[in-house]
């Protein structure tokens, strides 16, 4: 779990620096939207091509490789003064995060105890949220109060990635190496037949929640400055964390319900949070924005962990990496493509109007979830 959290802390580290890059280097909202896309698309490539590699090489080797790619990305971002460097660093981070998303999460599920039954799905689905929150807060604090504001957070994250590599290296392997590693690199997404009826609703949950997470990365830095009237990197980091961190606290609540019921409850509450976010942007109310962000973050935790729990129920050891590859393939697609579209629309439409579009996406996903959610044992 430490390694997965570290991987996503590294991914969040640049976000509080976006307004610094905007002010000092002339970056635009479209540039940051593109940075989200070039992070997510390599992640998709990693999931498609190497998502099953740990079934053949073992979890430890692939986990260490993912941390190495993230460290290379951090090294590049130590010297960001043009869009090309930012994009190159985010590409490497995307590859590392994609490899970690399927293989390190499968490692967590392999090692998790059988009881409580919701623990594996919560730990695997919510540890990235915790990592993103910690990375954003630490970055905001170091940018605002630490020395070397454009560099120190990357040095700290590099140390954390090194520590995680050591911890992985001394951890027991859970998968015996088997032949077929090269064949596993052929791009494909396959999940057990019992999972397929659950995928449409799970996809709706992942689509709306992860798209909103990408919105927070690409557009909230500008919204915080222009609509909510603060330039504090720490406030920006806290706001991003306010969306990510409560997800981990909301997730165990979903364990009290069946997967279908938890997805319905989570998405209805998520829609309420999105309505509050849009209202806060329209009125310029920072306190309402933070409150609504916390509500949306906690409720996405309920919905995401419930969807993950349903997909994992009854899975075998070799099923898990492909299932997580499919889950994160949907998640990163949901983050990348709406962000790409919104980045182009930001040249024509205002940021409050862009936010309204994300609210419409949440409304459609919630209605579909309420109507179509089902439990795995109903098949």
């Amino acid at each position: 779990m430490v390694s997965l959290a570290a991987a996503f802390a590294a991914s969040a580290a640049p976000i509080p620096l976006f307004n610094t890059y905007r002010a000092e280097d002339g970056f635009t909202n479209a540039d940051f939207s593109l940075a989200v896309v070039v992070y997510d698309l390599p992640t998709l490539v990693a999931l498609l091509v190497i998502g099953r590699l740990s079934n053949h090489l073992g979890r430890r080797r692939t986990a260490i490789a993912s941390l190495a790619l993230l460290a290379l990305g951090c090294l590049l971002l130590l010297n960001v003064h043009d869009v090309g460097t930012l994009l190159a660093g985010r590409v490497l981070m995307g590859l590392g995060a994609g490899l970690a998303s399927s293989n390190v999460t499968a490692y967590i599920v392999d090692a998790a105890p059988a009881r409580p039954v919701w623990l594996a799905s919560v730990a695997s689905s919510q540890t990235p949220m915790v990592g993103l929150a910690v990375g954003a807060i630490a970055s905001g604090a170091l940018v605002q109060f630490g020395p070397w504001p454009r560099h120190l957070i990357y040095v700290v994250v590099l140390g954390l990635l090194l520590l995680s590599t050591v911890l992985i290296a001394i951890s027991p392997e859970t998968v015996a190496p088997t032949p077929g590693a090269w064949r596993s690199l052929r791009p494909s997404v396959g999940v057990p037949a019992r999972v397929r009826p659950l995928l449409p609703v799970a996809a709706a949950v992942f689509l709306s929640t992860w798209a909103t997470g990408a919105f927070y990365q690409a557009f909230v830095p500008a919204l915080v400055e222009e609509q909510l009237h603060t330039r504090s990197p720490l406030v920006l980091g806290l706001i991003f964390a306010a969306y990510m961190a409560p997800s981990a606290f909301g997730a165990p609540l979903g364990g009290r319900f069946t997967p279908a019921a938890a997805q319905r409850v989570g998405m209805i509450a998520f829609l309420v949070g999105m309505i509050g976010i849009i209202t806060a942007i329209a009125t310029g109310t920072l306190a309402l924005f933070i409150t609504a962000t916390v509500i949306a973050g906690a409720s996405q935790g309920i919905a995401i962990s419930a969807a993950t729990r349903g997909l994992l129920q009854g899975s075998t050891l070799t099923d898990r990496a492909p299932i997580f590859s499919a889950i994160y393939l949907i998640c990163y697609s949901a983050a990348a493509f709406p962000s790409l579209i919104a980045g182009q629309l930001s040249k024509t439409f205002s940021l409050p109007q862009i936010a309204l579009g994300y609210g419409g996406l949440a409304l459609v996903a919630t209605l579909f979830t309420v109507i179509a959610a089902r439990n795995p044992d109903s098949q």
Side-chain angles (χ1 to χ4, degrees):
M1 287 177 62
V2 171
S3 299
L4 189 60
F8 283 88
S11 299
I15 294 169
L17 280 161
F18 281 180
N19 282 339
T20 301
Y21 298 153
R22 187 196 315 277
E24 297 180 5
D25 301 306
F27 290 17
T28 66
N29 288 334
D31 293 332
F32 296 131
S33 179
L34 185 59
V36 173
V37 173
V38 300
Y39 170 83
D40 291 325
L41 290 182
T43 304
L44 294 176
V45 171
L47 290 167
L48 281 169
V49 176
I50 53 183
R52 299 169 303 282
L53 197 59
S54 69
N55 286 341
H56 302 280
L57 298 183
R59 307 291 197 221
R60 285 194 304 178
R61 290 182 184 179
T62 50
I64 290 172
S66 70
L67 297 176
L69 287 166
L70 286 157
L72 288 174
C74 286
L75 288 172
L76 271 180
L77 294 178
L78 282 168
N79 188 34
V80 173
H81 291 285
D82 60 84
V83 174
T85 303
L86 175 64
L87 298 183
R90 295 303 276 171
V91 165
L92 287 171
M93 285 185 159
L95 288 170
L99 188 55
S101 294
S102 61
N103 298 321
V104 179
T105 47
Y107 202 174
I108 290 172
V109 175
D110 293 347
R115 297 288 177 181
V117 293
W118 49 262
L119 180 61
S121 63
V122 169
S124 58
S125 65
Q126 300 310 312
T127 298
M129 303 300 184
V130 174
L132 289 167
V134 170
I137 294 172
S139 179
L142 292 176
V143 170
Q144 185 162 341
F145 301 112
W148 319 301
R150 294 175 66 118
H151 308 101
L152 183 57
I153 182 58
Y154 298 122
V155 175
V156 171
V157 168
L158 282 167
L160 184 59
L161 291 171
L162 178 60
L163 172 63
S164 299
T165 300
V166 172
L167 292 174
I168 288 287
I170 62 175
S171 297
E173 179 59 74
T174 59
V175 173
T178 59
W182 287 109
R183 290 193 301 274
S184 76
L185 297 179
R186 288 180 296 184
S188 67
V189 178
V191 295
R194 62 169 185 80
V195 168
R196 292 169 195 159
L198 305 176
L199 277 176
V201 170
V205 170
F206 299 146
L207 171 61
S208 58
T209 55
W210 277 67
T212 302
F215 167 77
Y216 269 71
Q217 293 182 55
F219 298 107
V220 165
L223 278 169
V224 166
E225 184 171 331
E226 296 171 11
Q227 305 294 131
L228 304 175
H229 316 298
T230 177
R231 296 184 177 182
S232 166
L234 179 57
V235 169
L236 175 54
L238 287 169
I239 288 174
F240 183 74
Y243 181 71
M244 296 299 172
S247 181
F249 297 102
L253 297 177
R256 300 174 181 269
F257 304 93
T258 65
Q263 287 175 86
R264 292 188 181 102
V265 170
M267 288 306 296
I268 290 170
F270 179 76
L271 180 60
V272 171
M274 287 299 296
I275 292 169
I277 289 166
I278 292 167
T279 303
I281 292 170
T283 59
T285 309
L286 180 60
L288 176 59
F289 186 84
I290 293 173
T291 301
T293 294
V294 170
I295 292 171
S299 56
Q300 75 157 350
I302 296 172
I304 290 173
S305 63
T308 303
R309 176 158 51 102
L311 295 174
L312 283 176
Q313 186 167 311
S315 65
T316 65
L317 194 69
T318 55
D319 284 341
R320 288 167 189 162
I323 288 174
F324 276 114
S325 291
I327 289 172
Y328 283 107
L329 182 64
I330 297 168
C331 290
Y332 284 109
S333 296
F337 294 110
S339 184
L340 180 62
I341 295 167
Q344 296 303 310
L345 292 177
S346 69
K347 300 174 183 178
T348 304
F349 296 95
S350 68
L351 291 179
Q353 289 172 322
I354 296 293
L356 193 61
Y358 281 91
L361 182 62
L363 174 61
V364 172
T366 300
L367 291 174
F368 180 68
T369 302
V370 169
I371 294 169
R374 61 187 297 183
N375 292 311
D377 52 347
S378 66
Q379 298 171 55

